[in-house]
Amino acid sequence: MPANLMTKAQMKELAEEASGLKQSGGDARVKEIANRLLYRLMQVIDECDVSMEEFWAGIGFIAQTGKNNEFGLLVPGVALEHFLDLRLDEAEKKAGIKGGTLRTIEGPLYVAGAPLSKGEARMDDGTDPGEPFVIEGQVRGEDGNIIAGAIVDLWHANSKGGYSFIDGEQAPYNLRRRIETDEKGRYLARSIVPNGYGCPPLSCTRKAMNLMGRHAERPAHVHFFVSAPGYRKLTTQFNFTGDKYLYTDFAFGTREELVVTLERVTDANEIRNAGFNRPFARATFDVVMTKERAGAPKTEVAREHVIAA
Ligand code: BEZ
Ligand code: FE
């Protein structure tokens, strides 16, 4: 069948009717967005001459993604979560907000309510044979002021790339902690070095990535939510230099400013002082928070935390 069988006017008319634009009532915002989405979708179908089989296969894929609770994986995989971050960056620039630590995606694997402690925490339960890890840093404001009492909520994968709660193999809240910064604005976490996450082998997301000739892997990373009264909530991560997938993260989470070089510590005194019995890796990740101000785009986002298949 040839492409471009329809006129723009026909598709416009149909999309407007289907989204209720021609009627009163309903939700104006929903109508507006539905109309634009439908019009563009009709255009793509017509331009690409999408067959009936292709269309229904696409609907089946979306249905299966929903059944698997996988949209949280697929959305970053097609760069939409990163796109939302880029838009927020621009909106902040316009509002005159600058100088804070860069944000990057939250991803779908956060679990709220991790144990809270002051100053420092041990994140792993001692069963992971991975490389011991110290993550430390200081939280400051954009003017360089120390922020004591900030909550650093951090989470990461284990040495196999799995997340507690999601992989069903780890103790609850393993590798998930909230640390309140001390009077110097500092936090310190003892843990094990994570491995990168890969989408489940049979997931719709991996299938979609492979159909696009892409892999479905993330480089190793550590996630952060950082919050403090009067400051804008920060959602970010850091990655490690040298990671195989650093610059091809399937979820578009890597940002150059958030790449950290792990220091390998082999000195016996330092190992003992850190509370380990073997050499360890150390990452320093300082955070700069920006002040909340009226009229600025929100960074505290209500979001259901969906668990991947
Ligand atoms: C993650 O943070 O590990 C993640 C982010 C996006 C998609 C899948 C996993
Ligand atoms: Fe992650």
Side-chain angles (χ1 to χ4, degrees):
M1 244 199 282
N4 295 318
L5 297 174
M6 308 290 288
T7 64
K8 284 199 167 145
Q10 282 175 306
M11 293 185 280
K12 191 164 178 286
E13 168 87 13
L14 197 54
E16 282 181 7
E17 197 163 338
S19 55
L21 265 200
K22 297 179 171 199
Q23 281 157 230
S24 59
D27 182 302
R29 179 91 177 138
V30 170
K31 288 159 84 162
E32 168 78 12
I33 294 171
N35 175 47
R36 286 169 189 258
L37 279 175
L38 280 171
Y39 179 53
R40 282 171 176 75
L41 184 58
M42 287 175 191
Q43 282 184 308
V44 171
I45 291 172
D46 200 40
E47 285 163 7
C48 300
D49 201 15
V50 174
S51 71
M52 297 264 192
E53 282 80 8
E54 286 172 329
F55 179 82
W56 290 110
I59 296 295
F61 171 83
I62 292 168
Q64 191 60 46
T65 302
K67 272 190 209 154
N68 294 354
N69 245 345
E70 249 192 80
F71 276 109
L73 277 188
L74 186 63
V75 164
V78 292
L80 283 173
E81 196 168 345
H82 178 57
F83 175 69
L84 295 177
D85 279 345
L86 294 176
R87 290 195 76 245
L88 190 47
D89 291 348
E90 292 302 318
E92 284 191 339
K93 242 191 252 169
K94 280 203 166 139
I97 297 168
K98 52 180 178 342
T101 297
L102 268 194
R103 67 172 46 80
T104 193
I105 63 164
E106 174 187 322
L109 307 173
Y110 174 72
V111 177
L116 174 66
S117 53
K118 181 128 192 166
E120 51 180 273
R122 169 95 187 247
M123 296 182 73
D124 64 304
D125 64 2
T127 60
D128 193 314
E131 184 181 13
F133 194 21
V134 166
I135 308 164
E136 59 182 332
Q138 189 178 39
V139 180
R140 289 180 175 269
E142 56 206 294
D143 302 326
N145 54 299
I146 285 164
I147 307 181
I151 302 296
V152 179
D153 190 343
L154 62 168
W155 70 104
H156 65 78
N158 65 8
S159 64
K160 293 194 283 184
Y163 282 84
S164 63
F165 273 89
I166 282 91
D167 68 7
E169 291 177 4
Q170 302 176 51
Y173 289 113
N174 195 38
L175 311 179
R176 301 176 186 276
R177 289 292 182 275
R178 287 177 298 155
I179 304 173
E180 186 182 333
T181 54
D182 67 14
E183 68 286 350
K184 291 191 176 129
R186 302 199 62 86
Y187 72 92
L188 185 147
R190 286 184 185 77
S191 196
I192 49 100
V193 175
N195 213 330
Y197 171 91
C199 291
L202 301 178
S203 58
C204 290
T205 307
R206 182 173 287 277
K207 196 171 157 195
M209 293 300 120
N210 292 164
L211 282 171
M212 292 190 281
R214 297 177 49 201
H215 67 68
E217 314 295 328
R218 299 209 65 207
H221 57 277
V222 177
H223 294 266
F224 288 77
F225 283 149
V226 188
S227 45
Y231 289 89
R232 294 169 64 71
K233 179 179 173 180
L234 173 70
T235 301
T236 195
Q237 306 175 17
F238 70 79
N239 294 101
F240 317 148
T241 48
D243 194 299
K244 181 176 172 197
Y245 296 113
L246 184 59
Y247 295 112
T248 62
D249 181 3
F250 99 95
F252 297 85
T254 304
R255 305 190 85 172
E256 192 59 49
E257 297 84 341
L258 302 174
V259 178
V260 168
T261 297
L262 300 190
E263 181 193 351
R264 256 67 206 203
V265 182
T266 53
D267 178 78
N269 279 337
E270 280 212 68
I271 292 171
R272 202 179 35 252
N273 290 343
F276 296 129
N277 58 9
R278 57 193 194 278
F280 67 97
R282 180 158 52 208
T284 302
F285 188 67
D286 296 330
V287 170
V288 178
M289 303 190 76
T290 53
K291 286 229 172 71
E292 195 53 278
R293 47 202 100 178
K298 281 193 341 179
T299 56
E300 178 79 58
V301 179
R303 169 175 173 178
E304 197 180 317
H305 291 107
V306 187
I307 290 176

